[in-house]
Amino acid sequence: MFDYETLKIIWWGFVAVLLIGFALMDGFDFGVGMLLPIIGKNDVERRIMLNSIGPTWEGNQTWFIAAGGALFAAWPLAYAAAFSGFYVALMLLLFSLFFRPVGFDYRSKIADTRWRATWDWLLFVGGFVPPLIFGIAFGNLLLGVPFYYDGDMRLAYQGGLIELLNPFGLLAGVLSVAMLCMHGAAFLITKTNGALAQRARHSLIIAAGVTVICFAVSGLVIAKQVEGFRILSMPDTNSAFMPVAKIVSRANGAWLDNYSHWSWLWCVPTIAFSAVLASVFLTIHRHAVSAFIASGIAVTAIILTAGLSMFPFVMPSSINPNSSLTAWDVVASHKSLGIMFWVVVIFLPIIMMYTAWIYRVMRGKIDEQHIVEHQHSAY
């Protein structure tokens, strides 16, 4: 069996895979939801959009559940701190997600224009709010979250929803929304034809432009203005210890330390920029599947850029840096990580193969004829 330090690194990777999987699989569902009332000009087009994701969106959302379960089991301290510090934001996230299953089930039940238009905008909320909240939350992780552990190791949080809505947090939120809107538009291009597909192409180009700008500005702000976190000393990483056992400092540019130590990491943000531009290029030249793959690579690289900048920090503390949670001290016991490792190794490939099979079965474009022929069964 792996030693404790190795398992800690492996589980950082597992959590990253689950979060990226959620962003990739459910991300284009969010993107389609955002675009639903904007590029869908009539009821048929909006039903085409809904039917492009209708058969698979529930399966995609299980990545979110899996990521939450992994946080609870492998990173219990981060799970507790996040659900305390981001409680109001997470409740808003939860309530916005409610609109998706209800909207899919009830939108087409009544052939009334106002009824369907209302659900279209509620599905828009269900697609727009979660990426915005996730982006704002991640932006605040880079800034540091106002929590600390007292002498009895009780978690105390000092802050609220308003404090999360700072300029950098909102910039990260816009980046997240634009990134997944681009991904959703790329997916729609693979599933639709005609005028709807053309509007999806225009949407991808606009969203890609916003993504590149926000990603570049975020990088400059992190490099020049944001105080990152740096571990000065801590116990042996192969041992179990509490978060307050280490000494952490803050300094401008500290989030670039990993890129300074391992220069090859610069290929990750480079890939992010290149993949966004490639998605635009491939979209213009009508290579739909390749454009979708490029947008997926862009989403992956953007998330990895932030994660690699923060490593090993998971949830830094802006009040007491020594209380910051890292991949070394946020984890469950050695035995727990070892047991869950084999669970993931066995079941994650099965889930991925099953998901690939589902998308192979569901491949192909959705058109108006499909909606007409399935009036009572289509979304």
Side-chain angles (χ1 to χ4, degrees):
M1 175 53 67
F2 300 108
D3 60 31
Y4 202 13
E5 179 183 18
T6 302
L7 279 174
K8 291 176 181 180
I9 296 174
I10 289 173
W11 270 97
W12 184 90
F14 279 160
V15 172
V17 168
L18 290 171
L19 291 176
I20 291 172
F22 169 61
L24 289 176
M25 304 305 296
D26 213 19
F28 64 75
D29 293 338
F30 290 140
V32 172
M34 282 186 268
L35 294 171
L36 180 64
I38 298 174
I39 69 172
K41 299 303 182 181
N42 54 56
D43 185 63
V44 172
E45 288 187 345
R46 292 179 182 183
R47 294 190 73 185
I48 289 173
M49 295 173 69
L50 291 176
N51 278 271
S52 71
I53 60 174
T56 55
W57 75 270
E58 289 177 293
N60 293 340
Q61 195 156 280
T62 58
W63 285 89
F64 179 48
I65 299 171
L71 286 176
F72 175 78
W75 289 356
L77 294 182
Y79 183 90
F83 276 78
S84 296
F86 298 141
Y87 181 79
V88 176
L90 288 172
M91 290 304 295
L92 289 174
L93 168 67
L94 180 63
F95 284 117
S96 66
L97 288 174
F98 287 164
F99 294 130
R100 283 153 52 87
V102 181
F104 276 106
D105 284 341
Y106 287 101
R107 180 195 181 276
S108 297
K109 299 300 183 184
I110 300 176
D112 178 79
T113 303
R114 289 175 298 178
W115 170 268
R116 293 186 174 182
T118 299
W119 283 114
D120 290 340
W121 283 104
L122 290 177
L123 286 167
F124 167 84
V125 171
F128 174 79
V129 173
L132 180 66
I133 290 178
F134 283 126
I136 291 173
F138 216 106
N140 279 275
L141 288 179
L142 288 162
L143 295 175
V145 183
F147 76 95
Y148 66 94
Y149 288 98
D150 63 18
D152 297 319
M153 286 305 298
R154 291 177 299 187
L155 179 70
Y157 179 80
Q158 298 179 353
L161 180 63
I162 301 302
E163 287 77 10
L164 297 177
L165 303 178
N166 53 74
F168 184 76
L170 292 173
L171 175 63
V174 173
L175 170 59
S176 176
V177 168
M179 175 180 73
L180 296 187
C181 185
M182 173 190 69
H183 197 43
F187 179 76
L188 276 177
I189 296 169
T190 68
K191 299 291 289 185
T192 61
N193 289 306
L196 182 58
Q198 186 60 34
R199 289 194 290 272
R201 292 186 186 94
H202 292 158
S203 299
L204 184 147
I205 294 170
I206 295 171
V210 176
T211 300
V212 166
I213 293 171
C214 290
F215 187 51
V217 172
S218 298
L220 291 174
V221 172
I222 289 172
K224 302 296 183 181
Q225 298 182 13
V226 173
E227 285 189 333
F229 292 74
R230 182 180 292 148
I231 298 175
L232 300 180
S233 66
M234 65 177 178
D236 181 9
T237 55
N238 200 35
S239 64
F241 57 92
M242 299 305 294
V244 293
K246 62 185 178 298
I247 298 176
V248 177
S249 68
R250 301 192 65 178
N252 285 331
W255 285 140
L256 299 181
D257 284 356
N258 289 337
Y259 292 92
S260 299
H261 296 155
W262 300 286
S263 57
W264 61 268
L265 290 179
W266 284 107
C267 70
V268 179
T270 302
I271 290 172
F273 281 113
S274 301
V276 174
L277 297 177
S279 182
V280 173
F281 176 83
L282 292 167
T283 296
I284 293 174
H285 289 82
R286 307 300 177 94
H287 299 292
V289 175
S290 298
F292 178 63
I293 293 172
S295 75
I297 293 172
V299 171
T300 301
I302 289 172
I303 295 173
L304 276 178
T305 297
L308 292 171
S309 298
M310 290 183 61
F311 183 84
F313 288 93
V314 172
M315 192 170 180
S317 170
S318 59
I319 295 178
N320 180 9
N322 293 345
S323 294
S324 299
L325 301 176
T326 71
W328 311 125
D329 52 41
V330 75
V331 295
S333 68
H334 189 178
K335 185 175 182 179
S336 296
L337 294 184
I339 293 173
M340 292 187 296
F341 168 81
W342 292 111
V343 173
V344 173
V345 167
I346 293 171
F347 287 101
L348 185 60
I350 295 174
I351 294 171
M352 294 177 72
M353 287 188 292
Y354 174 74
T355 301
W357 177 75
I358 288 294
Y359 277 93
R360 177 174 175 79
V361 172
M362 297 294 178
R363 69 187 184 278
K365 294 183 180 289
I366 307 294
D367 53 23
E368 184 175 349
Q369 181 180 356
H370 173 87
I371 300 301
V372 172
E373 292 177 352
H374 300 83
Q375 280 292 334
H376 300 291
S377 60
Y379 290 94

